[in-house]
Structure formats: structure tokens, C-alpha cells
């Protein structure tokens, strides 16, 4: 009864699988990583200690601050289809915190500020974001949105 | 017929002229004598102060309310005038007709101000709120937990021995459909309000924190008694239901402000999730937009802090009498995830207590007060799991909720001056229609749905007798469906890898089926019957069944509005007009 695969892993696996199937290349997508100088960073690697009284950034995140990184995840639907600012989530957002008062962002979101505006990618589609990692609390002056981790000067493509 | 039409035309015409203004509290409001409320009249146009007249039972409002209302020529963002008077009260029970006039605009409403008896029937009230608790949740929990033989249940839930005493109407002031904010607010204030609003009437200005306030039960108890107050929930403690015990906002999403209001009231016991809104924004994991550190603020007020099950157990022995227990940054995990599957956020927060642990500590602490207490216990995950149609989690949550009720029933045996109320805040469109039997022939899951005689009985087991099924993924399990849904993949199976997320949003802001479930064997796409803006299944408008036992329970009867429930509570406790 106890499953060893984490749910997020399973969902991600399912998404990779679906994408692989769509490309007619079942099973090989997991191995593909872009040829960038960027270091790959996983959602599981963002935080070291997680507690009710707060999280601490992982050593990897601290080491990569200010450096190029690449992350895979899902694009939460932004307020506008064409946007230079969006939220990257580990799993597809089933709720839209921008749209409803009864919803809330997950803990481990990453804010992405694009080098130039790009069009929204389907919520069911995995994307890869590359850019420079910014670490630490920052409040967006336009929206008041508080973020802890950002990938700036970024671009993204379907993973 | 012609005469009727003519009469209708006249009436409609009259309404158009006469109903231009809005008076808060609204018509037919029921108000506890002595309880503070904000009085507001919103006119439809800019009017001159000299043209405004507000009377109560024919006398100037100032004379009845003790203060002159403030005239606002133009409200912020509105091309219209208003009259506002904050924190007034009416000490004498009776019917009060309020008439507001300004030129052609006129509006009349009637309030019923009620008193309470001189002598209390109950010293303590324990209010169990199963969020979204519907009849099917009770039935499903019983079948899963106790089993059934030859059509008779093999055992009884604790709530099976608490008499159902009333049907409760849950509608909001602005809609027949409803949410947990306005519903719990009605229970906790005696006033109905609008969807998303808590402890206020929803006015027309944009500011969510300026709406006309009404007193909640925590404030009433602080104002008039020395009773202790406890709030327990397995959701974020600043989520709508627990928030309604203590706070005032037009928007339940004002969670950071709600924590501040909770701090103002200082309930003696606060146990739940949602620590993210207690942390200053510079602390990673915080969801605040300011530097306020409510963990430190509560500690400075003498609260013992608990962040996991072990700390909760040691906090139970605290001498300070005040406990703040926060066990997750967000909503706490479900019983099924916490104790069985280890999914959700259990890997991050492995030692979260359950509703039973929390209720036990709260009762132990609050019952030390010789003056009595009010405890609200929310089984919040019943709703959190019913929205995404994760019925296995919702039913196991109901079993744990029932176990918490069992503690209260035991407590009442030695403390017979305790009123226990068990109710939902709204219902879900959920029904159990039979079983899903993996051993029925064929590859198609719908052919494995057993209905009528083909359903038989589910084969859950409870070998260790803990009241929970040993596993939910048995071969013949309950078939549970929602009357309403977004596009989603129906898998006919328990979601063993974590709570179900049926739909995700696309670039057109429409919710589409979450393809993560597409490849589950037997999954079928169900095209939704809800607007594409709905992310999950929605609340039902069906009545809630309220159950109650103990002194004062006889106040519940027949059909009642949600706001009527408050009167029974304050009646049982005989909350006086002012401190005795």
C-alpha cells in the first residue's frame, strides 16, 4: 500500500511520459537536459530545513545565487497572456491565486522575470526556464507580490 | 389577471423609487441586545446633509443609538453619499424600524433586537463544524469505519448518537450559493453576509477592511464573560471558518489581517495550520507583506508555542493557560496522508497532530477555567478534499472528525453543562451510489460500478480496530460521485499518490482536465457541467443537517437560517447585555 514514488515525482513522470508520447519518443525525455552553462536546479533542492517557523535556503541555492540556472516546472497562468512576469510551480496549478480569493500559492514557488515578454504556455505543459537566480525576499513594487526566489533576465521553452 | 399585472407594475415602480438606499444591518437582521455593530446607510446618489433624515422607531437615530451618525458626502471611489456610525448598540430587546431618507431616496428596514435569559443553561459550548459536511460524508464514514452486514451498520459513529435537530439554510445575502466565509460568519455573529465576507456586512466601497462590522461570538464572550475561547482547525487557522470566530473583513483572502485580528481577541487556545501568515516577510516561507512576527507577539503574551505533535503534548501541561499550536505553513495534511499514505506535505511536516490530538489538548486546557469555555473545532479538510472530489480522503477526514466529537461526548458525561453542536457550514453535491468492484468483468471501469443489487457491500477491513479502514484501495469500495464537476479524468480509484487535482488552468483562464491522471488505467474524460472558470466541484445549496446535544439543544428546531443558530448559542450561554 505504501508507494515509494513521491506524488510530485509521479505527476512529473506522468507529464514527461505524456510529452514523450506526444513526440513519439516514449521514455527518453527524462534524460534530455539543455546544453547551457546553467546549473540545473530542482524544486526538491530549493530548501534545506523546512519548518513551521520558516524555511532555510539549501546550500545549493546559496551557492547558485547570482549564477545562471535552469529549472523545470509549470507556468501558473499569469494575469495577462503575454507577460514578462510569471510564477513557476512544481506541479500544475489547479487553482489560480491571482483570480480567486480562496486560493493560495504553494510554499515553493519561483518567480520568473523574463528578458522579454513571452506567450503563456499551456498549464499542462512542462517548461524549462533559464536565467539568473536571485535569492532573498523581494517585494514587486507594482503588485506587492513578495517572492523569495527569482529567475531573472530569463527565457523559457517547452521542456 | 389584468388587475394583477397592474398591481405588479405599481409595486415594481414603487420599489424602484423606494429602495434606492441600502441600510446595514439589512432588513430582518437579528441583533443580540447590547452587541456592538456598525450602522451604515448607502444612498444611491450624492445628497445634501440637510436632506438626510434617519429615524429609528420614529425617533432620530442619534437619540436611539446615542451618537450622531457621520455624514460622508462622497464615499471613496463612489459618486454617492453615506451615513456611518461605528460600534453602536441597542440594549433593549424589541422591533426597531429604521427609516432613511434623502430627497426622493427612502429605505425602511426592521431589525429584531433580542435578549437572552437571566440564567444560562450551558456553561460550555463545543461547536463542531465539519466544513462542507453533507449527509453522504456521514454515511460514507460509517460504512468505511464500521462496515455493514445484511443492510445493518456494524457499528455507530459518535455523531450517530447526537440527535439531528434542524435543517439549516446556508444562503448568502447576495447569492443562493455560498462559501465558508459568510456561512461560518452567520453562525458566529447571528448576521448573514455576502460570499467571501466575515464579521461584516458587505458594503460598496472597495476597501475590504472598512465594511460595517458586527460582533462575533469571541468578542461577545470577551465583552461580557470570563470564559475561555479555543479555536481548532486542520486548515490554515486564518482560513475562513476559524477566521469567522474572531475577525472582520469583506475578503477572506485578507489572511495576514485576520492573524492580526486573532491577536487582538487572543483566543486562549489556537491550534491549526497556516504559520506562513505568522512569519515576517523576510523569513523564507512567510506569506506576509510586512515585518510583523506574530510568533514572537503571541509568545510575548504568554502563549506556549507548539510546532509538532510532541510539542503539543508538552504544551498541554502549560501553566500559562494559553497555547499557540501551528503545525504546517499551509493547510495541515489529511488523516489519510498523515497516518497512512505519507503523501501531501507529510515529508516536510512529518509529525503533525490530528484533529483528535488537538481537540484533546484544547478541551484539557479550556476546561480548567471555572467560568467555562467556547471551543470551535473545524474538520476543514472534509471540504478541502470534497472540492477536488477526493472522496476517500474526505471520508477518512470525516472519521477523524467523528473521533474528535467522541472526545466531546466523553467530556460532556462528566461536564453535563456542556452544549455540543455538530454541523456543516454548507453542503457538497456528493452522493454514494453503490460500489466499484474491480472483480466485475471487462476493462471499462464504468461497468465495474455496482448499482442496486449489484453493489453488494464494500470490503474495507479494520483489523486493528482503530476505526479507520486498513486500506482505502480495496477491491470493492464505495462508489461516490459529485453532481457537478469541471472537466476531469475519472479514475474510479482512490488517489494513492496524493490529493486529487482534477483540473488545471489554461491560457484562456479555463480549467481543463489535469492530464496527470490521463494514463491511470481505466480513466475516462468527463466533460464538466460547470462553467470553465470553476477549478473544482462547488458547494451545494442543499440544507445542512445540524445535530446537537446537551443543555440548550432544544433551541434548535425545524428549518433555521444559519444566522438563527447564533441566537441559540448565546441563549444557552445567557450572554448578557453587558458585563455582570
Amino acid at each position: 500500500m505504501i508507494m515509494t514514488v513521491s506524488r510530485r515525482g509521479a505527476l512529473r513522470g506522468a507529464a514527461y511520459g505524456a510529452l514523450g508520447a506526444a513526440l513519439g519518443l516514449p521514455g527518453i525525455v527524462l534524460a534530455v537536459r539543455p546544453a547551457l552553462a546553467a546549473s540545473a536546479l530542482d524544486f526538491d533542492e530549493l530548501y534545506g530545513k523546512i519548518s513551521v517557523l520558516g524555511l532555510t535556503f539549501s546550500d545549493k541555492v546559496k551557492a547558485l545565487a547570482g549564477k545562471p540556472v535552469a529549472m523545470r516546472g509549470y507556468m501558473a497562468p499569469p494575469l495577462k497572456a503575454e507577460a514578462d512576469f510569471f510564477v513557476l510551480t512544481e506541479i500544475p496549478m489547479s487553482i489560480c491565486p491571482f483570480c480567486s480569493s480562496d486560493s493560495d500559492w504553494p510554499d515553493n514557488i519561483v518567480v520568473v522575470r523574463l528578458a522579454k515578454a513571452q506567450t503563456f504556455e499551456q498549464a499542462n505543459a512542462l517548461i524549462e526556464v533559464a536565467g539568473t537566480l536571485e535569492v532573498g525576499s523581494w517585494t514587486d513594487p507594482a503588485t506587492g507580490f513578495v517572492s523569495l526566489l527569482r529567475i531573472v533576465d530569463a527565457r523559457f521553452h517547452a521542456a | 389577471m389584468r388587475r394583477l399585472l397592474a398591481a405588479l407594475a405599481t409595486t415594481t415602480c414603487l420599489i424602484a423609487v423606494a429602495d434606492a438606499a441600502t441600510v446595514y444591518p439589512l432588513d430582518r437582521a437579528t441583533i443580540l441586545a447590547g452587541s456592538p455593530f456598525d450602522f451604515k446607510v448607502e444612498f444611491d446618489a450624492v445628497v445634501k446633509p440637510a436632506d438626510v433624515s434617519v429615524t429609528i422607531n420614529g425617533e432620530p437615530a442619534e437619540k436611539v443609538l446615542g451618537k450622531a451618525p457621520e455624514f460622508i458626502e462622497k464615499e471613496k471611489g463612489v459618486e454617492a453619499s453615506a451615513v456611518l456610525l461605528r460600534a453602536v448598540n441597542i440594549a433593549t430587546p424589541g422591533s426597531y424600524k429604521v427609516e432613511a431618507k434623502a430627497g426622493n431616496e427612502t429605505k425602511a428596514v426592521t431589525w429584531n433586537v433580542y435578549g437572552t435569559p437571566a440564567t444560562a443553561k450551558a456553561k460550555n459550548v463545543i461547536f463542531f463544524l465539519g466544513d462542507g459536511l453533507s449527509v453522504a460524508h456521514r454515511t460514507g464514514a460509517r460504512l468505511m469505519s464500521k462496515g455493514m452486514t445484511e443492510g445493518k451498520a456494524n457499528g455507530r459513529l459518535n455523531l450517530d448518537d447526537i440527535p439531528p435537530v434542524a435543517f439549516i439554510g446556508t444562503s448568502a445575502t447576495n447569492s443562493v450559493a455560498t462559501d465558508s466565509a459568510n456561512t461560518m460568519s452567520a453562525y458566529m455573529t447571528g448576521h448573514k453576509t455576502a460570499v467571501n465576507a466575515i464579521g461584516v456586512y458587505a458594503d460598496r466601497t472597495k476597501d475590504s477592511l472598512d465594511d460595517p462590522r458586527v460582533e462575533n461570538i469571541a468578542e461577545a464572550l470577551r465583552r461580557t464573560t470570563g470564559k475561555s475561547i479555543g479555536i481548532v482547525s486542520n486548515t490554515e487557522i486564518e482560513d475562513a471558518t476559524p477566521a469567522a470566530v474572531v475577525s472582520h473583513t469583506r475578503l477572506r483572502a485578507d489572511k495576514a489581517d485576520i492573524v492580526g485580528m486573532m491577536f487582538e481577541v487572543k483566543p486562549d487556545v489556537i491550534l491549526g495550520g497556516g504559520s506562513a501568515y505568522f512569519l515576517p516577510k523576510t523569513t523564507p516561507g512567510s506569506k506576509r507583506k510586512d515585518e510583523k512576527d506574530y510568533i514572537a507577539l503571541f509568545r510575548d503574551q504568554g502563549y506556549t508555542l507548539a510546532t509538532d505533535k510532541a510539542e503539543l503534548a508538552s504544551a498541554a501541561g502549560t501553566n500559562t493557560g494559553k497555547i499557540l499550536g501551528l503545525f504546517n505553513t499551509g493547510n495541515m495534511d489529511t488523516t489519510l496522508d498523515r497516518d497512512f499514505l505519507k503523501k501531501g506535505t507529510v515529508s516536510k511536516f512529518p509529525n503533525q497532530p490530528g484533529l483528535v490530538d488537538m481537540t484533546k489538548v484544547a478541551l484539557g486546557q479550556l476546561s480548567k477555567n471555572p467560568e467555562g469555555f467556547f471551543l470551535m473545532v473545524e474538520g476543514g479538510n472534509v471540504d478541502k478534499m470534497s472540492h477536488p472530489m477526493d472522496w476517500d480522503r474526505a471520508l477518512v477526514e470525516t472519521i477523524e472528525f467523528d473521533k474528535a466529537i467522541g472526545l466531546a461526548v466523553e467530556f460532556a458525561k462528566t461536564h453535563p453543562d456542556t452544549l455540543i453542536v455538530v454541523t456543516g457550514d454548507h453542503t457538497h453535491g456528493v452522493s454514494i451510489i453503490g460500489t466499484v468492484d474491480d472483480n466485475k468483468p471487462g476493462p471499462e471501469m464504468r461497468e465495474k460500478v455496482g448499482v442496486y443489487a449489484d453493489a453488494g457491500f464494500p470490503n474495507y477491513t479494520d483489523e486493528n480496530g482503530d476505526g479507520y479502514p486498513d486500506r482505502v484501495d480495496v477491491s470493492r469500495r464505495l462508489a461516490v460521485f459529485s453532481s457537478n464537476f469541471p472537466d476531469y479524468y475519472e479514475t474510479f480509484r482512490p488517489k494513492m499518490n496524493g490529493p486529487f487535482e482534477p483540473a488545471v488552468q489554461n491560457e484562456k483562464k479555463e480549467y481543463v482536465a489535469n492530464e496527470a491522471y490521463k494514463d491511470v488505467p481505466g480513466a475516462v474524460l468527463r466533460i464538466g457541467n460547470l462553467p470553465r472558470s470553476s477549478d473544482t466541484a462547488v458547494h451545494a445549496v442543499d440544507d445542512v443537517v445540524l445535530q446537537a446535544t446537551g443543555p440548550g439543544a432544544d433551541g434548535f428546531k425545524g428549518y433555521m437560517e444559519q444566522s438563527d443558530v447564533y441566537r441559540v448559542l448565546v441563549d444557552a450561554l445567557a450572554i448578557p447585555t453587558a458585563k455582570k
Side-chain angles (χ1 to χ4, degrees), chain B residues 11-95:
Chain B
T11 314
T12 312
C13 183
L14 276 175
I15 286 168
V17 176
D19 274 5
T22 306
V23 175
Y24 302 107
L26 294 171
D27 192 29
R28 297 190 287 163
T30 52
I31 304 172
L32 172 65
S35 77
F37 63 91
D38 293 346
F39 171 57
K40 187 179 184 192
V41 181
E42 291 181 344
F43 294 106
D44 251 15
V46 175
V47 297
K48 290 184 200 137
D51 293 344
V52 174
S53 131
V54 182
T55 61
I56 299 178
N57 285 351
E59 295 193 277
E62 181 179 351
K63 195 173 170 195
V64 178
L65 300 176
K67 285 186 263 185
E70 175 198 0
F71 177 76
I72 303 161
E73 191 185 10
K74 274 187 198 174
E75 286 203 278
K76 201 173 177 189
V78 185
E79 275 300 303
S81 306
V83 159
L84 179 66
L85 190 48
R86 297 220 182 257
V88 294
N89 75 82
I90 299 174
T92 312
S95 178

Side-chain angles (χ1 to χ4, degrees), chain B residues 285-457:
Chain B
S286 166
K287 288 184 177 171
R288 296 194 68 83
K289 293 181 178 180
D290 60 29
E291 285 302 330
K292 285 188 180 146
D293 180 350
Y294 276 97
I295 302 280
L297 287 167
F298 273 103
R299 272 179 156 162
D300 289 347
Q301 292 294 317
Y303 280 77
T304 301
L305 180 71
T307 62
D308 64 16
K309 203 171 178 172
E311 288 181 10
L312 178 64
S314 40
T318 177
N319 294 323
T320 66
K322 291 185 278 191
I323 306 173
L324 173 66
L326 297 170
F327 308 106
N328 196 308
T329 49
N331 292 318
M332 292 172 69
D333 283 293
T334 67
T335 319
L336 190 62
D337 288 313
R338 231 177 40 239
D339 293 342
F340 296 90
L341 303 179
K342 307 295 176 191
K343 300 298 179 186
T345 64
V346 172
S347 62
K348 293 178 185 167
F349 305 102
N351 299 310
Q352 299 165 69
L355 206 58
V356 173
D357 307 309
M358 294 192 288
T359 304
K360 192 172 184 177
V361 169
L363 279 174
Q365 189 62 47
L366 299 170
S367 61
K368 289 177 186 167
N369 185 344
E371 294 190 44
F373 64 86
F374 172 79
L375 169 62
M376 193 289 294
V377 179
E378 184 201 19
N381 282 332
V382 176
D383 178 73
K384 299 284 182 220
M385 292 298 122
S386 294
H387 276 290
M389 305 177 286
D390 193 323
W391 305 119
D392 297 280
R393 282 180 176 75
L395 296 184
V396 173
E397 282 307 297
T398 309
I399 297 172
E400 190 180 34
F401 182 61
D402 182 66
K403 286 175 176 288
I405 292 165
L407 294 175
V409 171
E410 274 307 304
F411 177 85
K413 283 180 184 163
T414 51
H415 301 77
D417 45 5
T418 303
L419 169 63
I420 300 173
V421 179
V422 179
T423 189
D425 52 349
H426 57 77
T427 50
H428 280 274
V430 51
S431 278
I432 300 168
I433 55 103
T435 60
V436 177
D437 187 347
D438 288 335
N439 295 318
K440 281 190 163 58
E444 276 192 273
M445 290 304 290
R446 66 184 292 180
E447 300 303 335
K448 297 176 191 291
V449 175
V451 298
Y452 301 111
D454 292 335
F457 298 99

